[in-house]
Amino acid sequence: MNLLGFTRQNFAVVFEQMNVPKWRAGQVWDWIYRKSATSFDEMSNVPAEMRAELQGNHSIAYPAVDRVLTSSDGTEKFLLQLSDGESVEMVLIPERDRCTVCVSSQIGCGVKCSFCHTGTQPFVRNLEAHEIVGQVMVARQRLSDPGALNSKRLITNIVMMGMGEPLHNYENVSSAIKIMMDSDGLAFSRRRITLSTSGVVPFIVRCGTELCVNLAVSLHAPNDEIRNKIMPINNMYNVRELINACRQYPNTNEARRITFEYVMLRDVNDSEQQAIELAALIRDIPAKVNLIPWNPWPGAPFKTSSNSQIDRFAQALARTGVTVITRTPRGQDILAACGQLKSSSLSK
Ligand code: SAH
Ligand code: SF4
């Protein structure tokens, strides 16, 4: 069993079953998450018999790095190989004052938004908790990140915005996030972790209560008519239900807002009228809108809105008092930008 997927609570149970004192679990946890140990041999303060027993039943295995592509803007896309031969992508995005790792939650995605490359790949399976945490460990290893051990941590933010719908894999995603947040381990604050969802309403509420990480919602349309056309999930949970769930998301205030993601699709959802409709829809929610110029992929039936149209849309929102940011695409040249990920497991 791969120890990377065990939450602190379940981790302690493993050691209880081995009949060793509880504090030993803490030692091993420390080796894995603070010292990035990948073998039990390295754990010099752990007795040899205990290491042997751990070795016999458990592993600390990161996903294998199959390939790394580097974009001209410094973004790196990792194709990771999992133990069953499947592949998944993870993206590392260095910026001036921070470095974000964009983590996948599923192989493929069953939601099938029409503008998304991942959606064209058949859904293969959910990622296990250890495969989700493992992506962060690979990113740390790549950067030789000392992590929370000192103030020089290199990876500052985690976004669950890679392949898949995280709230369709809630149990594993929630275990992984609990491991990322553990203060004696990776120690990412909930404010440094953002989960993006296409709108799986019942789990938005649960995610808010149990994890309370930053929430990003892929809204992409101001009404059901447009959203139904581009996001089939809207037929299950409509705009009204989605906005209601956002309204109830705990600890939302001016200092901690919900992000609404809005992909700019030419002549589909990008008119000034639609910006005004969007502003009215989210009026009473502490929110910011993230405009994402649509990132092309081969064979897609969309066009990106022109820069001037994106500006007009942004200004129409801003005039109503909505905070709006236009996201700069990162890693487009290596198909690493939002919605471009698609692991090549299919081409086999
Ligand atoms: N499945 C989750 C998280 C992953 S996608 C979700 O849908 O929220 C991260 C963001 O990129 C989402 O807002 C998604 O809708 C958006 N996106 C998908 N395809 C895109 C594309 N081709 N160009 C720009 N953004 C895209
Ligand atoms: Fe899945 Fe998100 Fe892509 Fe929609 S945008 S198909 S939910 S990964």
Side-chain angles (χ1 to χ4, degrees):
M1 296 254 259
N2 194 336
L3 285 184
L4 277 189
F6 286 78
T7 59
R8 189 78 145 151
Q9 231 173 359
N10 296 339
F11 199 84
V13 174
V14 171
F15 288 80
E16 253 168 56
Q17 285 165 352
M18 284 168 56
N19 256 329
V20 294
K22 220 176 174 175
W23 57 272
R24 288 285 183 202
Q27 270 184 329
V28 175
W29 182 271
D30 192 72
W31 274 105
I32 297 177
Y33 295 109
R34 286 184 170 241
K35 305 198 186 94
S36 304
T38 50
S39 78
F40 298 107
D41 291 343
E42 294 167 59
M43 303 181 180
S44 48
N45 56 357
V46 175
E49 319 82 78
M50 199 177 126
R51 278 187 272 155
E53 190 175 350
L54 283 167
Q55 184 75 48
N57 300 311
H58 301 283
S59 64
I60 314 161
Y62 300 178
V65 178
D66 188 2
R67 245 181 310 148
V68 183
L69 298 179
T70 305
S71 159
S72 54
D73 67 18
T75 301
E76 289 187 315
K77 181 166 85 165
F78 293 70
L79 185 67
L80 303 176
Q81 182 110 51
L82 307 173
S83 53
D84 63 354
E86 291 295 343
S87 311
V88 73
E89 297 189 333
M90 177 270 284
V91 182
L92 199 51
I93 312 159
E95 287 168 279
R96 201 164 36 85
D97 54 347
R98 59 180 172 177
C99 181
T100 303
V101 49
C102 176
V103 172
S104 294
S105 56
Q106 299 182 309
I107 304 170
C109 181
V111 178
K112 312 244 165 282
C113 305
S114 57
F115 48 82
C116 173
H117 202 197
T118 308
T120 65
Q121 160 175 0
F123 173 69
V124 179
R125 68 170 172 84
N126 282 332
L127 292 183
E128 302 287 339
H130 70 84
E131 293 168 332
I132 300 171
V133 175
Q135 295 172 59
V136 177
M137 300 311 281
V138 168
R140 278 196 359 163
Q141 190 175 48
R142 172 78 172 183
L143 298 174
S144 304
D145 187 346
L149 270 182
N150 59 35
S151 57
K152 293 214 177 82
R153 76 181 315 155
L154 298 173
I155 297 171
T156 54
N157 297 71
I158 297 174
V159 294
M160 299 290 315
M161 292 189 184
M163 299 167 65
E165 169 47 60
L167 298 186
H168 276 167
N169 183 18
Y170 184 78
E171 296 305 333
N172 290 319
V173 165
S174 108
S175 297
I177 288 180
K178 284 178 187 157
I179 296 166
M180 294 167 193
M181 292 199 299
D182 188 282
S183 55
D184 292 328
L186 294 176
F188 283 91
S189 113
R190 46 172 44 92
R191 289 163 186 276
R192 297 281 185 178
I193 301 176
T194 302
L195 182 144
S196 174
T197 178
S198 58
V200 190
V201 166
F203 284 97
I204 291 181
V205 179
R206 224 178 127 186
C207 173
T209 326
E210 294 176 4
L211 306 169
C212 206
V213 291
N214 298 329
L215 181 69
V217 172
S218 294
L219 188 55
H220 302 322
N223 57 45
D224 285 327
E225 193 192 340
I226 302 175
R227 203 164 189 268
N228 281 336
K229 281 192 196 136
I230 57 176
M231 299 185 73
I233 195 163
N234 199 66
N235 293 300
M236 196 171 304
Y237 310 107
N238 64 23
V239 169
R240 190 178 48 81
E241 292 169 288
L242 178 55
I243 295 296
N244 269 338
C246 294
R247 218 172 259 132
Q248 288 163 29
Y249 199 76
N251 292 343
T252 303
N253 51 48
E254 283 310 314
R256 195 154 186 255
R257 305 187 215 182
I258 290 180
T259 301
F260 287 106
E261 294 158 294
Y262 198 98
V263 63
M264 297 300 290
L265 302 166
R266 185 182 299 187
D267 299 332
V268 175
N269 64 356
D270 65 348
S271 73
E272 282 178 79
Q273 188 50 44
Q274 285 154 346
I276 292 164
E277 204 180 340
L278 172 64
L281 182 69
I282 60 172
R283 195 178 35 212
D284 62 343
I285 301 176
K288 51 184 178 238
V289 173
N290 229 318
L291 299 182
I292 317 175
W294 177 71
N295 295 308
W297 38 270
F302 292 101
K303 287 205 170 78
T304 310
S305 309
S306 65
N307 286 340
S308 58
Q309 190 57 33
I310 297 176
D311 282 347
R312 274 196 289 277
F313 193 94
Q315 279 162 21
L317 281 176
R319 274 197 297 274
T320 68
V322 171
T323 305
V324 51
I325 298 157
T326 304
R327 208 184 271 179
T328 315
R330 297 289 308 249
Q332 258 190 342
D333 52 345
I334 52 165
L335 286 184
C338 299
Q340 291 185 314
L341 304 184
K342 176 177 176 175
S343 54
S344 50
S345 57
L346 320 167
S347 53
K348 281 189 286 196

